[in-house]
Amino acid sequence: MSGSVLIRGGQVVSSAGITTADVRIRDGVVAEAGEDLRPEGEEVVEAHGLHVLPGVIDAHTHQWEPGFLSPPDFHDVTASAAAGGITTIIDHPLTRPEVLDAKVFRDKVELGERTALVDFALYAGVSPGRLDAMEELWAAGAAGFKFFTCDSGSALQPFLNPNDQRELLGRIRALDAIALVHAEDQRILDQARIRFEAEGREDLEAFFEWRSPAAEKTAVDAVLQVAVETSARTYFAHISLPESAAEIAAAREGGAAVYAETCPHYLTLTQAELLADNAWATSSPPVRDHAHRDRLRNQLAKEISVVGSDHCSAPGGDRSAFSSVHGLPGIETLLPLLLDLVNQGLVKLERLVALVCEHPARLFGLTPRKGFLRPGADGDVTLVDTGRGTVVDAKQMVGSAGWTPYQGRRPHGRVVRTIVRGTTVAVDGRPVVAPGFGRFIRRTGSPVDLHRMVAHG
């Protein structure tokens, strides 16, 4: 079901600027934008005093379900998305069964269309010896292909050695596709783990030392070299190191189609805070120190291409340093935390729209439907109040995780309404549509390189 709505009097934001305008969505699609549009029988939403963003895309989510019918499923993740102002998610392939062939891909699409509240696209996985499946997955509409340089937790998606990486990126280039990489070096991780286990250490500080900056930087450097040599589009997920983000940006300036994603936890949390609170908010890679955090914030203006949540509804409570489950629930707080950075003057609102709307849509083949408020695009809108704050409280959140690493924080910036294809799916953080409203968004073309757009912001 698609809706029709007139959004009146808001400040419409794109990467090019902010203008006061009305936006008319008819039958789920943007029909026109301009001043003083008159109602034509559709629902009217007054947006005076609000900013009107294109529907936000979270390009990095994980369901981590043990099976396609076991929670947390699309319902849980997409309900959280709707509450947080996210109109489209792109989900990673580490589910059970892993998304390594077209049949499993289609099964996951079917699950999503039965249970999702917002729209979704899907990444596919890769496995050595099964790379021939990439062609049919790309034809099925996969948004990209995820691979690892370290243990993924899945026997069917082991980390790729340098030869496998080269073969994969060669196929990515031939398909005109895009690869996503989790870049941490397994050899360095193994050496550190052996040392810590011999010492009997399973403390939080050991975790941070295990998933070291050296492990991340070594892997990024190695994959970046192959990406440049093969001319393959390559997207580096959850970058925590400013120096790696700078190297990726420099390669892009030199003509390579390579991009860095970071996440709100790297822009917000620090190791010192977590250690002081004894808070087991662990992710791979982990958050770093104040200096890394502050440099990454400065890189949002140019060197970072996308911000995604890396949402994982992993259980809270005590975790050992070498637990197989590391991840943070973050989809509901993605946008409020970024709006808080806008209010602090650390990133412009126009740039925020590039990072979470326009760039994900272009990189993962979701244009012209997603990422922009243009005639003919899907009527996806995220209404935000940059003048109001909110309090992060796990008890008030929609998702099933039951905890948040941002408990008690007061980001300045609030999601007011989430609209997907002209239909309101959430108001003030509460979903208002039934499961099954969300639709699979098939990749509509090859990724669009962001060389000029990213280089010039």
Side-chain angles (χ1 to χ4, degrees):
M1 181 179 67
S2 298
S4 298
V5 62
L6 177 63
I7 302 168
R8 294 201 301 195
Q11 300 290 302
V12 178
V13 188
S14 73
S15 63
I18 302 175
T19 58
T20 302
D22 304 334
V23 178
R24 190 189 311 278
I25 299 167
R26 184 182 296 122
D27 296 328
V29 176
V30 177
E32 59 180 327
E35 295 185 17
D36 300 321
L37 299 182
R38 295 185 177 182
E40 297 179 352
E42 67 272 87
E43 177 189 6
V44 176
V45 173
E46 299 293 348
H48 298 276
L50 303 178
H51 284 91
V52 181
L53 279 54
V56 172
I57 299 168
D58 188 346
H60 194 151
T61 68
H62 293 278
Q63 296 180 81
W64 287 112
E65 58 205 45
F68 280 148
L69 299 179
S70 300
D73 60 9
F74 272 102
H75 177 216
D76 182 70
V77 175
T78 58
S80 296
I86 313 300
T87 60
T88 303
I89 67 167
I90 315 182
D91 200 60
H92 281 244
L94 274 180
T95 47
R96 297 292 188 272
E98 292 87 341
V99 185
L100 299 174
D101 60 56
K103 180 185 183 303
V104 175
F105 187 92
R106 289 190 292 267
D107 288 344
K108 189 169 180 179
V109 169
E110 192 273 335
L111 166 71
E113 293 209 324
R114 282 192 287 111
T115 60
L117 275 69
V118 303
D119 289 348
F120 62 95
L122 299 176
Y123 300 120
V126 294
S127 184
R130 300 176 64 175
L131 298 185
D132 288 344
M134 291 173 61
E135 187 171 351
E136 66 177 9
L137 283 161
W138 191 239
F145 295 92
K146 176 73 174 291
F147 75 99
F148 295 80
T149 65
C150 61
D151 181 16
S152 71
S154 165
L156 295 179
Q157 285 186 261
F159 65 90
L160 301 188
N161 63 42
N163 290 334
D164 291 333
Q165 292 173 27
R166 186 171 296 277
E167 181 182 358
L168 168 65
L169 291 181
R171 289 176 181 253
I172 291 290
R173 181 70 180 90
L175 284 174
D176 204 17
I178 187 168
L180 300 90
V181 56
H182 178 133
E184 292 179 283
D185 185 83
Q186 187 62 42
R187 181 183 61 84
I188 293 176
L189 294 177
D190 285 344
Q191 290 174 345
R193 179 168 182 167
I194 290 170
R195 183 174 73 255
F196 291 131
E197 288 182 337
E199 296 171 356
R201 290 187 59 190
E202 293 190 355
D203 54 281
L204 180 57
E205 193 165 2
F207 174 81
F208 291 135
E209 294 175 23
W210 172 42
R211 318 277 321 191
S212 64
E216 182 177 351
K217 188 176 187 305
T218 298
V220 169
D221 290 350
V223 174
L224 183 58
Q225 180 178 344
V226 179
V228 171
E229 291 174 358
T230 58
S231 299
R233 292 188 183 93
T234 307
Y235 179 97
F236 292 81
H238 45 51
I239 289 294
S240 74
L241 301 177
E243 52 267 43
S244 290
E247 289 170 0
I248 294 164
R252 186 173 61 252
E253 292 277 5
V258 292
Y259 312 97
E261 169 201 271
T262 196
C263 308
H265 38 286
Y266 305 125
L267 298 165
T268 306
L269 302 172
T270 67
Q271 288 184 12
E273 292 169 337
L274 296 178
L275 288 168
D277 294 340
N278 194 29
W280 279 89
T282 54
S283 60
S284 302
V287 300
R288 308 297 184 184
D289 60 24
H290 281 86
H292 286 93
R293 182 198 65 184
D294 293 347
R295 282 186 62 197
L296 277 174
R297 288 174 170 182
N298 292 334
Q299 290 175 311
L300 291 173
K302 183 177 180 180
E303 293 172 320
I304 299 295
S305 297
V306 174
V307 179
S309 71
D310 195 4
H311 173 81
C312 173
S313 190
D318 291 341
R319 302 176 181 179
S320 71
F322 307 113
S323 164
S324 62
V325 179
H326 294 288
L328 310 173
I331 198 168
E332 289 184 57
T333 49
L334 168 69
L335 190 52
L337 291 171
L338 293 177
L339 291 172
D340 191 55
L341 297 183
V342 171
N343 276 288
Q344 293 180 52
L346 297 172
V347 62
K348 292 184 177 180
L349 190 56
E350 299 95 319
R351 179 63 181 175
L352 176 59
V353 165
L355 293 166
V356 298
C357 304
E358 297 178 8
H359 291 174
R362 285 181 163 128
L363 280 173
F364 299 112
L366 305 186
T367 57
R369 292 187 62 179
K370 303 296 184 182
F372 298 85
L373 287 174
R374 294 174 176 169
D378 283 358
D380 297 352
V381 177
T382 304
L383 288 175
V384 300
D385 187 341
T386 60
R388 292 174 62 194
T390 188
V391 178
V392 179
D393 182 358
K395 293 180 180 179
Q396 301 301 317
M397 299 179 82
V398 171
S400 65
W403 71 286
T404 170
Y406 311 106
Q407 181 69 28
R409 290 182 180 252
R410 297 176 177 269
H412 199 77
R414 188 180 185 92
V415 178
V416 175
R417 183 182 292 251
T418 310
I419 298 172
V420 177
R421 289 175 278 112
T423 295
T424 295
V425 298
V427 177
D428 289 328
R430 312 320 295 178
V432 295
V433 293
F437 177 80
R439 299 264 68 84
F440 170 59
I441 304 301
R442 178 189 177 91
R443 190 199 72 260
T444 55
S446 293
V448 177
D449 291 337
L450 303 183
H451 298 72
R452 295 186 181 88
M453 288 173 282
V454 173
H456 297 96

